[in-house]
Amino acid sequence: MARHPIRFTPFHLAGGLFLLAGLVLAVYHGLEQFNLVPRLGWVSWSHIHFVTIGGFTQLLFGMLPQLTARKLERPLPSKYYDWLNFIGLNGGFLLLWYGRGWGHTWAFDGGLIAIWLLVAGLLVVMLRMVMQSDRAWNATTGLYLVSVFVFLWGITYAYGLFAHVWQVPGGWLGLREAHVHANAWGFLGLAAIGTLYDLFPRLLGTDLYSERLRNYSAWFFVAGIFPLVTGPWIGMGRTVTATGLVLFATGFALYLYNLVQTYRSTDSRSGIALSVLVAQFWMLGPAGFAPFVLFGVEWVDPAYIEDGALHFFFVGWALPIALAGLLLYFRNLPALREGHLDADLIPGGNIPSVISTWMVWVWNIAILVVGVGFFYQDQSWSAYLFGPGYTALVILWLYELVQAFRLRWTLQTDPETTTDRGLH
């Protein structure tokens, strides 16, 4: 069966808009720290979840079914399915946000249940593709399925964090840690890693360095993520969680080595490829600092370590990947007019030159500066780190979003630019 071209879904546009909204809220939250604007209780939770549930989840909901269908040479889900998921996900998120921000349990529960059911439906759709396909099993498809399955755990844990506090051996903090591990490392992490294994070589016009390392790393990821999402809430951080951390970190080391060797194997260079590659190293931040928390080595307040680790993961690792995806693909999404609803999403080798090497350096130095600020946020001099660090990040964040929209709306329709080059 011939593979269908990836089509436009409203998730793609919504993902970009949520990232823009997350930027605005992040700026406001930063100004709150300096008492320059009134403090709003809902901003702290919102600026993180507008980027995660709002931005990243929108993009993954729009892409995972289509990427899975292409890998397995199955028909794409219907457009009615896309719209049902889009309305349900955003309606659920609106209820979730309203309930969490203003303390309405009924709204939070309703939104959470709606999102859980939609994610379960997504998993069923992807499993049906796997069972109906004649294509051989591969690491990317496996990581997609595990990521969605683990996301269900993360959503379930969220129910016990707000208004329905569960009494578990690991306590509320252990449940929250499991929730973060499931949503961040499990859902976002595994889905992004599976996709980058396919797409990163294409940015460089080459093949992946080692398929064997790819398969090995996938098994380590799968073996590691389940202890990571159970150990914290059962109160076995130094045994179960630590075991999961070692397994997951081993898989990530193999994955990172594979990408670095792929990058070194070609003379082709692009700012987007470099940005994505450097971002991978920030995943090591949370993994590197976790032992300090697990084994009680308090060189700084554990809460500050957690703040810094989340910063390295979401802003250092995940955000550059999401922005790179928008820069690469948003320009190829079809206009909402007749005759242009099913253009292929794949860049076809035409990589936009909108990120310079110096921008990658500035972005990552700013990530480091802000991260250090989080570790020492109780010191007065941390303001001198947050100020310039956040300024650089906000400027570059906004620049890349503007470039993504500029590339889309100034693109001259050319059939050759949307030819299917294959996603293997």
Side-chain angles (χ1 to χ4, degrees), residues 133-190:
S133 174
D134 295 328
R135 294 292 296 271
W137 180 267
N138 61 78
T140 294
T141 304
L143 290 176
Y144 285 166
L145 292 174
V146 174
S147 73
V148 177
F149 178 66
V150 173
F151 191 30
L152 289 174
W153 289 36
I155 299 171
T156 303
Y157 292 156
Y159 185 83
L161 291 172
F162 178 72
H164 309 281
V165 179
W166 292 346
Q167 300 301 319
V168 296
W172 187 87
L173 290 177
L175 190 62
R176 187 183 66 167
E177 183 181 347
H179 165 73
V180 172
H181 288 176
N183 289 4
W185 291 13
F187 178 51
L188 301 178
L190 296 184

Side-chain angles (χ1 to χ4, degrees), residues 11 24 29 63 66 95 137 139-140 154 158 160 169 186 195 223 244 279 302 325-326 329 355 364 409:
F11 289 109
V24 173
H29 184 60
M63 292 304 301
Q66 302 198 59
L95 283 173
W137 180 267
T140 294
T195 302
L326 285 176
Y329 302 135
I355 300 180
N364 286 280
W409 300 118

Side-chain angles (χ1 to χ4, degrees), residues 199-207 259 262-270 273-274 351:
L199 297 185
F200 185 75
R202 296 200 60 199
L203 289 175
L204 303 168
T206 188
D207 295 324
L259 260 58
T262 302
Y263 187 83
R264 295 180 59 190
S265 68
T266 177
D267 294 329
S268 175
R269 294 290 183 268
S270 86
L274 180 61
I351 310 301

Side-chain angles (χ1 to χ4, degrees), residues 119-418:
V119 173
L122 173 61
L123 180 60
V124 170
V125 167
M126 294 169 63
L127 283 171
R128 287 186 61 190
M129 291 182 190
V130 171
M131 291 186 291
Q132 295 172 357
S133 174
D134 295 328
R135 294 292 296 271
W137 180 267
N138 61 78
T140 294
T141 304
L143 290 176
Y144 285 166
L145 292 174
V146 174
S147 73
V148 177
F149 178 66
V150 173
F151 191 30
L152 289 174
W153 289 36
I155 299 171
T156 303
Y157 292 156
Y159 185 83
L161 291 172
F162 178 72
H164 309 281
V165 179
W166 292 346
Q167 300 301 319
V168 296
W172 187 87
L173 290 177
L175 190 62
R176 187 183 66 167
E177 183 181 347
H179 165 73
V180 172
H181 288 176
N183 289 4
W185 291 13
F187 178 51
L188 301 178
L190 296 184
I193 287 169
T195 302
L196 286 175
Y197 256 144
D198 283 340
L199 297 185
F200 185 75
R202 296 200 60 199
L203 289 175
L204 303 168
T206 188
D207 295 324
L208 186 67
Y209 172 72
S210 172
E211 287 293 334
R212 179 177 295 181
L213 286 178
R214 167 185 176 145
N215 293 332
Y216 287 162
S217 68
W219 284 112
F220 276 109
F221 282 131
V222 173
I225 193 59
F226 290 105
L228 282 172
V229 302
T230 54
W233 71 265
I234 64 176
M236 301 182 68
R238 297 186 181 184
T239 52
V240 176
T241 307
T243 300
L245 179 63
V246 171
L247 292 170
F248 195 95
T250 301
F252 191 83
L254 296 176
Y255 157 79
L256 182 57
Y257 177 79
N258 213 353
L259 260 58
V260 169
Q261 291 301 106
T262 302
Y263 187 83
R264 295 180 59 190
S265 68
T266 177
D267 294 329
S268 175
R269 294 290 183 268
S270 86
I272 293 179
L274 180 61
S275 175
V276 169
L277 180 63
V278 175
Q280 305 312 303
F281 288 88
W282 291 116
M283 175 74 93
L284 300 176
F289 294 118
F292 291 104
V293 177
L294 288 176
F295 296 99
V297 182
E298 295 191 14
W299 56 286
V300 296
D301 190 317
Y304 298 167
I305 296 179
E306 182 178 295
D307 288 342
L310 290 175
H311 162 75
F312 288 138
F313 181 90
F314 287 114
V315 184
W317 179 77
L319 184 58
I321 295 174
L323 291 173
L326 285 176
L327 287 169
L328 286 171
Y329 302 135
F330 193 65
R331 64 200 178 98
N332 279 353
L333 294 179
L336 291 174
R337 58 178 183 271
E338 185 178 357
H340 295 278
L341 287 176
D342 288 317
D344 189 10
L345 187 70
I346 305 303
N350 182 20
I351 310 301
S353 301
V354 295
I355 300 180
S356 302
T357 301
W358 69 266
M359 294 181 182
V360 177
W361 277 102
V362 171
W363 176 274
N364 286 280
I365 291 173
I367 292 291
L368 177 61
V369 168
V370 172
V372 173
F374 275 118
F375 294 147
Y376 297 98
Q377 57 189 276
D378 58 340
Q379 303 295 319
S380 59
W381 50 265
S382 64
Y384 297 104
L385 301 179
F386 285 131
Y390 271 126
T391 299
L393 291 174
V394 166
I395 291 174
L396 290 175
W397 188 347
L398 181 61
Y399 166 79
E400 294 188 35
L401 284 174
V402 170
Q403 290 300 314
F405 281 92
R406 182 187 67 81
L407 288 168
R408 172 64 197 97
W409 300 118
T410 61
L411 179 68
Q412 297 296 320
T413 303
D414 182 355
E416 294 184 359
T417 66
T418 56

Side-chain angles (χ1 to χ4, degrees), residues 14-81:
L17 294 177
F18 267 110
L19 289 177
L20 180 60
L23 169 63
V24 173
L25 290 173
V27 171
Y28 191 94
H29 184 60
L31 294 175
E32 284 182 331
Q33 308 307 308
F34 296 97
N35 297 317
L36 297 176
V37 294
R39 288 187 176 271
L40 301 175
W42 53 269
V43 169
S44 178
W45 183 88
S46 298
H47 89 278
I48 295 174
H49 288 80
F50 265 58
V51 174
T52 54
I53 295 178
F56 300 155
T57 304
Q58 296 281 338
L59 295 175
L60 290 174
F61 252 82
M63 292 304 301
L64 283 183
Q66 302 198 59
L67 291 175
T68 302
R70 288 177 63 88
K71 292 292 293 183
L72 300 174
E73 296 187 355
R74 298 300 304 165
L76 298 180
S78 71
K79 295 177 183 178
Y80 296 107
Y81 172 82

